[in-house]
Amino acid sequence: MLQKKLPWHLDFARHAGRHRHVDVDRPATLTPEQRSALAISLSTFQIGEDGTGEHLLAAAKEAAATRRYRDALAMFVIEEQEHARLLALVLRAIDHPLRTSHWTDRVFVFIRQIKSLRSEVLTLLVAELIALSYYSAMRDGVREFADVFGRIYDDEVRHVDFHADTLPHHLDQWSTGTRALVRVLWNVLVVGSSVVAALDHRAALRVVGVSPARFVRSVWTDLRNLDQRLFSASLDS
Ligand SMILES: [Fe+2]
Ligand SMILES: [Fe+2]
């Protein structure tokens, strides 16, 4: 029998604190060169996960989003901060300090200056799509990190599902023409960002046995599915 999906604010509440007791051991199987390649890459993702969600929550309020949706968004932000904490544990296990800034993070912050809920969520979905392929590669590539990256990956799957369920309602408020244009621009942004991420993180991806081409193909597969869920229903209606 199909299990009924919980409303998202209850789903996030049910998952709260789930990673509280996670610990990360020092990986015995990695060489110092492999540790260094992973650390440089992971420290970039760690910054990306560590946002306050201030713009997102303000945009949701501005868009008169429902209380339940805003509660779900607030708990979504907390889960992302939890990922930052878990990545900090991984970095500590491989003796690497935390980074304080990275150019890709500054680009996303710049794009998000548009300050609408729809552009906020579409922008963060670019990062979420890249995160899906990245964390699954990390989960499968380093035995000692399988648990921590498996946890983060499972959350990211829920995050994408959450936004795919809730964003179309807000995209519907654009005209058909605007939605079609946004759809093209957003697809271009995801494709471009996936290539940049694959190249920028190629050394870490090599450690876990994933080529840049395979990484990009993986992001594009998820993109096709998400694009359908976000835009098809609203354009057809
Ligand atoms: Fe995350
Ligand atoms: Fe996420």
Side-chain angles (χ1 to χ4, degrees), residues 48-49 76 79-81 83-84 87 128 131 135 152 155-156 159:
E49 297 275 14
F76 155 78
E79 279 196 5
E80 297 294 19
Q81 290 167 348
H83 295 171
L87 291 178
E128 298 280 71
Y135 292 127
I152 299 177
D155 286 347
E156 302 299 5
H159 293 177

Side-chain angles (χ1 to χ4, degrees), residues 45 128-142 145-146 148-154 156-157 205 208-210 214-215 218-219 222:
F45 274 80
E128 298 280 71
L129 278 175
I130 289 170
L132 281 180
S133 294
Y134 182 80
Y135 292 127
S136 70
M138 292 295 141
R139 176 198 61 196
D140 299 340
V142 186
F145 296 155
V148 67
F149 285 119
R151 286 167 178 272
I152 299 177
Y153 172 79
D154 291 346
E156 302 299 5
V157 170
L205 291 171
V208 296
V210 173
R214 191 171 132 202
F215 179 81
S218 165
V219 176
D222 292 329

Side-chain angles (χ1 to χ4, degrees), residues 56-57 60 68-77 117 162-163:
L56 177 66
L57 300 176
R68 285 179 168 194
Y69 179 54
R70 280 159 49 200
D71 286 349
L73 279 177
M75 288 184 276
F76 155 78
V77 169
L117 177 63
F162 162 55
H163 294 301

Side-chain angles (χ1 to χ4, degrees), residues 44-57 73-74 76-85 105 109 112:
T44 306
F45 274 80
Q46 201 272 338
I47 301 175
E49 297 275 14
D50 202 20
T52 60
E54 181 191 347
H55 292 291
L56 177 66
L57 300 176
L73 279 177
F76 155 78
V77 169
I78 291 169
E79 279 196 5
E80 297 294 19
Q81 290 167 348
E82 184 68 352
H83 295 171
R85 188 186 72 80
D105 202 45
V109 168
R112 293 168 66 190

